[in-house]
Amino acid sequence: MVLSADSRQFYRELNIGTAKPSPEQLKEVPHFFINTKNAEELYGAGHYAKDALELMNELFNTHPVIFMVGGSGLYIDAVLNGVDDFEEIPQNIRDDLNKTFEERGLQWLQQELEQKDPEYYREVDHNNPQRMIRALEVISYSRKPYSFF
């Protein structure tokens, strides 16, 4: 039993550069979390941790060993240590941030985050708009700095 913890392998549409197991390998050993999501679905570490823990509870009833492999470690860490529990953020907040990012660019996103949460800004990858948008949507909805969580 293999549980993929690679955030790119979840998506059916992402096949280049993801090092997904081959169809032959998938037949030889049962794999989970490979090609299970569509690219437009929101599926983060918290979603994965919940799904993986539920699946492991089932699998450990009949299998003494399960391997969790792949990824940067973020998703494995979420399973082992949990994630901060955020309320569901309305989609329109993300949509508005993405639209403004498309119109104004990466520098705008960096400046917004630096102004609203300098502590998180110092540690986030400044070239990763997805992480900065996530932080800004949490800030916008919760009215607290992302670093608070």
Side-chain angles (χ1 to χ4, degrees):
M1 298 282 135
V2 176
L3 278 65
S4 173
D6 187 310
S7 65
R8 302 300 180 248
Q9 293 181 353
F10 304 150
Y11 299 107
R12 293 177 191 96
E13 299 87 353
L14 299 181
N15 293 310
I16 297 172
T18 60
K20 287 181 186 175
S22 69
E24 295 78 24
Q25 292 169 320
L26 292 171
K27 286 180 185 174
E28 286 182 33
V29 177
H31 285 67
F32 298 88
F33 301 106
I34 304 284
N35 295 326
T36 56
K37 300 292 175 192
N38 292 317
E40 68 272 359
E41 289 182 67
L42 175 63
Y43 194 73
H47 301 105
Y48 176 80
K50 179 183 176 292
D51 292 347
L53 288 169
E54 287 175 8
L55 179 61
M56 289 189 304
N57 282 333
E58 291 176 28
L59 293 175
F60 277 130
N61 288 323
T62 55
H63 299 84
V65 176
I66 299 170
F67 294 94
M68 183 176 291
V69 301
S72 65
L74 173 67
Y75 286 68
I76 294 171
D77 186 66
V79 171
L80 295 175
N81 300 310
V83 294
D84 289 320
D85 195 18
F86 295 111
E87 290 183 49
E88 196 65 35
I89 296 174
Q91 184 66 38
N92 68 304
I93 293 174
R94 175 177 291 119
D95 293 344
D96 290 346
L97 285 165
N98 276 305
K99 182 178 181 211
T100 306
F101 164 60
E102 287 175 20
E103 293 169 355
R104 300 183 71 188
L106 186 62
Q107 187 175 12
W108 170 82
L109 201 55
Q110 294 164 340
Q111 290 170 346
E112 282 293 298
L113 185 58
E114 184 176 29
Q115 178 186 8
K116 293 181 178 177
D117 190 350
E119 183 178 338
Y120 184 66
Y121 177 79
R122 283 192 296 275
E123 65 185 56
V124 71
D125 176 357
H126 298 154
N127 294 309
N128 188 330
Q130 184 176 354
R131 290 210 177 145
M132 290 189 286
I133 288 171
R134 176 64 178 152
L136 288 169
E137 69 187 35
V138 168
I139 292 166
S140 176
Y141 188 69
S142 71
R143 304 284 187 230
K144 296 177 184 170
Y146 191 72
S147 57
F148 171 84
F149 300 97

